[in-house]
Amino acid sequence: MHRLDPEMCVVTAAAGDERSGGLVGFSSQCSLRPVRFAVWLSKANHTFKVARDADCLAVHLLGRDQHELAELFGGETGDGVDKFARVRWTTGHGGAVVLPDAAAWFVGTVVQRVDGGDHMGFVLDPVQWDAGDRASGPLLRLGDAHDIDPGHPAE
């Protein structure tokens, strides 16, 4: 399994007055026509609680040199910490929370939610994106994030 080393991403959500974000290792394009992308959020995390009420989610790829950002979104929980007070962010399509310093990002409209047990899959229709200035460097992968202690234990 060590050879399967997927790209990590930060998924952010906003619903009402709440915003949240978490480090995600389960994500992939899931359709060609129309283009769709799926992200899987743990039901134990604060991000899931906000995302289930969100119309749009933002997905951010990180460069390997952005480990500190990955640690903030993967090692802290939105139940007790305002992660967005520590980073630069802006509002994207549909009120999505966008981290413009990410290597690349997109906002997707949630078109389907799929129950996968302890995770919920969110199928997204990409509607806004930016490849960023950092797109040419290596991306953060699961193997680069093994030292991050999760903000929430898996339930």
Side-chain angles (χ1 to χ4, degrees), residues 6 12 26-28 31 36 39 63 68-69 73 76 93 95 97 100 110 114-116 125 129 131-132 141 144 149 155:
T12 58
F26 306 143
S27 65
S28 176
S31 174
R36 296 283 191 259
V39 295
E68 188 174 310
L69 187 59
F73 280 91
E76 299 286 344
H93 178 86
V97 182
V110 178
V114 180
D115 192 339
D125 175 17
W129 51 85
R141 296 190 170 276
D144 302 317
D149 291 325
E155 291 184 352

Side-chain angles (χ1 to χ4, degrees), residues 28-47:
S28 176
Q29 184 172 340
C30 60
S31 174
L32 291 173
R33 289 191 188 97
V35 172
R36 296 283 191 259
F37 196 87
V39 295
W40 293 85
L41 304 179
S42 168
K43 293 178 183 177
N45 291 344
H46 184 261
T47 304

Side-chain angles (χ1 to χ4, degrees), residues 95-119:
V97 182
V98 173
L99 307 174
D101 296 326
W105 59 266
F106 76 89
V107 174
T109 302
V110 178
V111 295
Q112 186 176 6
R113 290 170 175 85
V114 180
D115 192 339
D118 62 354
H119 281 64

Side-chain angles (χ1 to χ4, degrees), residues 30-31 71 74 95 103 108 120 125 137 140 147 150:
C30 60
S31 174
E71 195 164 17
M120 175 75 68
D125 175 17
L140 185 81
D147 62 328

Side-chain angles (χ1 to χ4, degrees), residues 10-12 21 58-62 66 69 72-73 83-84 87-91 96-105:
V10 170
V11 175
T12 58
V59 178
H60 307 82
L61 291 175
L62 304 180
Q66 293 183 295
L69 187 59
L72 172 64
F73 280 91
K83 300 173 192 180
F84 299 98
V87 296
R88 193 166 74 98
W89 64 275
T90 187
T91 302
V97 182
V98 173
L99 307 174
D101 296 326
W105 59 266

